[in-house]
Amino acid sequence: MTGSPRLDPIDQKPRYRLVAESLAARIRAGDYPAGTKMPADKDLVDQLRVSRTTVREAMIALELMGLVVTRYGAGAFVAAVLPPEAPDLSGLPGYFELVEARFAFEPEIAAIAAGTLTPAATARLRAAIEGMCDETATLAEVEACDRDFHLCVAQATGNAVFAQVVGEFWHARQQFPEWTRLNNRQGPADIARFSRAEHQAILDALAAGDAAAARAAMQLHCRNSGQPLLERWRRLEEEGAAPQSPAAGRVLRRTAS
């Protein structure tokens, strides 16, 4: 008796990745020559019949591939020199997906940690803040301290799954070289606000055992962490203010509530 033919599994790819792969193929084929301006977001939306958020995700993926560069006030351009081979982005979430996921999970993790923080964890969090604010530290060292702060909060809950989830957030974040560069907060005022003020507010709430305050402080921090790149893409629009992305909208609505 002959069995049924075996079928290959269907590869379920996010739409933004399909768009990125399509545009990458067009770039490598020379349809968009090196150094020329890419079509505006609104044109890609009309031609591809996808959302503006999908197009933005795709353009960020193309930046990670080294195929596209963006210029403030001018838009996106094909790279002058194309890399020989694009990196594999098959396991990489979308940037907006990562921003939304952090906003959904980390505030609740902070709320739980507010009841379990130990003196040792408190000291570790203080050291991480000081490391982030050290004017002599390299960007990599600042990022390492930032990561340690958020991992420490998750580990303080005593739940290994929470720590793993936050660790995965940071692993994904490290795949976005634009994240650190475009959220560059090297000015003293920005460092004081983001690295010290926002992280200190989280620590103060945790040390006080105030779950509601810890949740609110982490919500604000996660929103501010992702907002600069969202705003950057709005500034690149050529036809005035762009509609807010679904992920950004949900983040902002929940913060305001």
Side-chain angles (χ1 to χ4, degrees):
M1 183 175 178
T2 304
S4 300
R6 183 177 180 82
L7 300 176
D8 293 329
I10 302 299
D11 187 10
Q12 299 288 341
K13 291 185 178 181
R15 298 193 77 187
Y16 85 87
R17 197 169 294 145
L18 294 173
V19 171
E21 290 175 356
S22 175
L23 292 174
R26 297 280 298 275
I27 290 172
R28 291 194 178 277
D31 295 337
Y32 301 127
T36 61
K37 194 174 187 306
M38 288 291 291
D41 280 5
K42 69 178 185 63
D43 294 330
L44 291 175
V45 167
D46 292 340
Q47 294 174 33
L48 299 172
R49 297 186 179 181
V50 295
S51 71
R52 200 174 290 244
T53 298
T54 297
V55 168
R56 288 174 179 161
E57 291 275 22
M59 296 303 289
I60 291 174
L62 290 174
E63 283 193 278
L64 294 176
M65 295 177 186
L67 297 174
V68 167
V69 295
T70 54
R71 303 171 190 168
Y72 285 97
F77 292 77
V78 180
V81 178
L82 301 183
E85 183 177 351
D88 180 13
L89 301 179
S90 59
L92 189 62
Y95 177 87
F96 301 118
E97 292 176 322
L98 182 56
V99 169
E100 184 176 33
R102 287 194 67 202
F103 188 90
F105 283 96
E106 289 206 56
E108 295 309 313
I109 290 173
I112 295 171
T116 59
L117 196 69
T118 65
T122 300
R124 179 179 164 190
L125 292 173
R126 287 200 183 102
I129 293 174
E130 293 306 317
M132 281 183 269
C133 297
D134 184 352
E135 294 182 0
T136 67
T138 65
L139 196 55
E141 290 170 336
V142 171
E143 282 283 292
C145 290
D146 197 357
R147 176 180 181 276
D148 190 57
F149 182 95
H150 288 269
L151 277 177
C152 182
V153 173
Q155 291 166 353
T157 66
N159 188 314
V161 176
F162 290 159
Q164 183 177 5
V165 167
V166 172
E168 286 299 316
F169 287 161
W170 280 86
H171 176 72
R173 169 173 166 164
Q174 288 168 350
Q175 308 308 305
F176 289 97
E178 292 294 289
W179 183 308
T180 298
R181 185 170 66 83
L182 295 172
N183 285 283
N184 192 353
R185 292 173 287 271
Q186 296 308 297
D190 290 332
I191 289 176
R193 176 187 66 81
F194 189 87
S195 294
R196 187 175 295 283
E198 291 187 11
H199 286 92
Q200 187 64 51
I202 296 169
L203 174 54
D204 290 345
L206 292 172
D210 190 334
R215 180 185 295 110
M218 187 65 84
Q219 282 178 335
L220 175 64
H221 177 61
C222 288
R223 186 197 68 180
N224 288 345
S225 179
Q227 200 66 16
L229 188 53
L230 299 176
E231 293 297 336
R232 169 182 178 264
W233 279 96
R234 290 195 187 96
R235 288 197 297 270
L236 291 175
E237 293 294 334
E238 295 182 332
E239 298 297 327
Q244 183 171 275
S245 74
R250 288 193 289 270
V251 168
L252 292 176
R253 281 197 297 273
R254 282 199 295 261
T255 302
S257 62

